[in-house]
Amino acid sequence: MAIDNGEEFSVNVLGALRILHSAWDKVTEQTIANCFSHAGFKLPNINLEEDIRENEHVTPCLPEGVNFDDYISVDENVITTEVMSDDDIIQAISHTEPENEEEDSPPPPTPKQAASAMLTMRRFFESQPNADSDLRVISQLEDKIAITVVKVKRQTGITEFFNK
C-alpha cells in the first residue's frame, strides 16, 4: 500500500508484530498437521466412534434396557425446521423494507478511505484489553481491502507512459 501511495516503506517493531500476527492467523490446522506428518510425526489411525462403543465406562451410564446406538440416535427424526411452501416464501419476502434507500445513499468509500478507517479501528482495538479476536477480524478485513485494490488495478503498457 505504501508503494501505491508513493510513500517510503518502513517497518517498526509494532508493524512487524502486526505482519507476524496476520501471517500466523493465515496458517491453518491442516498446514501444521502436514508439517508434522512430513517431519515423521504421525498419529495412529483411531476410530473414535468404535472406541466409544466398546468403552466399558459408557454402558453403565445408560438407562437400563437402552443400548448405545439407540441412545445416540434418539433425535434423528426430530423436525427442527419448518417446511415452507412457495407461497409462504413469497409472502415472507414481500414484507421487506422499501427500496427507496438507494436514492439517498452516499457513494461507497474508496479503498484508500477504507484502509484509513481500518487503521483507526486497529489502533483503537490495540488499546483495548482482550481484543485478540477483534484484531483478527481487522486483519481479515485489511486483507480484503488489499485484494480489492489489486483487482481494480490493471497493468499498463509502456505507450501509456509516454502519452501522459
Side-chain angles (χ1 to χ4, degrees):
M1 290 291 229
I3 295 171
D4 296 336
N5 297 331
E7 300 170 3
E8 184 178 325
F9 182 72
S10 64
V11 178
N12 57 16
V13 175
L14 179 60
L17 288 173
R18 287 177 180 161
I19 293 168
L20 178 67
H21 188 265
S22 178
W24 181 247
D25 281 344
K26 290 178 180 68
V27 176
T28 64
E29 290 180 24
Q30 186 63 43
T31 302
I32 295 170
N34 289 344
C35 289
F36 274 92
S37 176
H38 184 69
F41 297 99
K42 297 183 181 183
L43 291 175
N45 290 336
I46 299 172
N47 188 344
L48 293 177
E49 191 170 315
E50 287 180 14
D51 288 348
I52 289 173
R53 288 185 180 154
E54 294 171 4
N55 191 339
E56 65 273 1
H57 299 292
V58 175
T59 307
C61 298
L62 297 175
E64 191 172 321
V66 177
N67 68 19
F68 186 76
D69 290 329
D70 292 340
Y71 184 75
I72 63 170
S73 63
V74 72
D75 60 355
E76 281 183 352
N77 296 322
V78 175
I79 298 174
T80 58
T81 60
E82 177 183 0
V83 177
M84 296 179 72
S85 68
D86 291 342
D87 293 333
D88 293 338
I89 295 170
I90 292 171
Q91 183 70 20
I93 293 174
S94 66
H95 293 296
T96 58
E97 298 178 18
E99 297 181 14
N100 296 341
E101 296 176 13
E102 293 180 14
E103 297 171 5
D104 299 334
S105 64
T110 65
K112 186 175 182 178
Q113 291 170 327
S116 175
M118 292 312 302
L119 181 61
T120 302
M121 294 292 287
R122 176 175 288 286
R123 285 194 306 243
F124 171 76
F125 281 105
E126 284 176 343
S127 68
Q128 302 300 311
N130 303 323
D132 291 340
S133 62
D134 300 320
L135 290 170
R136 282 190 190 92
V137 171
I138 289 173
S139 291
Q140 292 170 350
L141 292 173
E142 288 172 337
D143 291 344
K144 286 184 179 186
I145 292 169
I147 289 169
T148 303
V149 169
V150 171
K151 283 183 180 178
V152 171
K153 293 188 179 231
R154 68 176 185 82
Q155 186 172 354
T156 59
I158 192 144
T159 56
E160 292 181 31
F161 176 76
F162 292 112
N163 290 337
K164 290 184 180 180

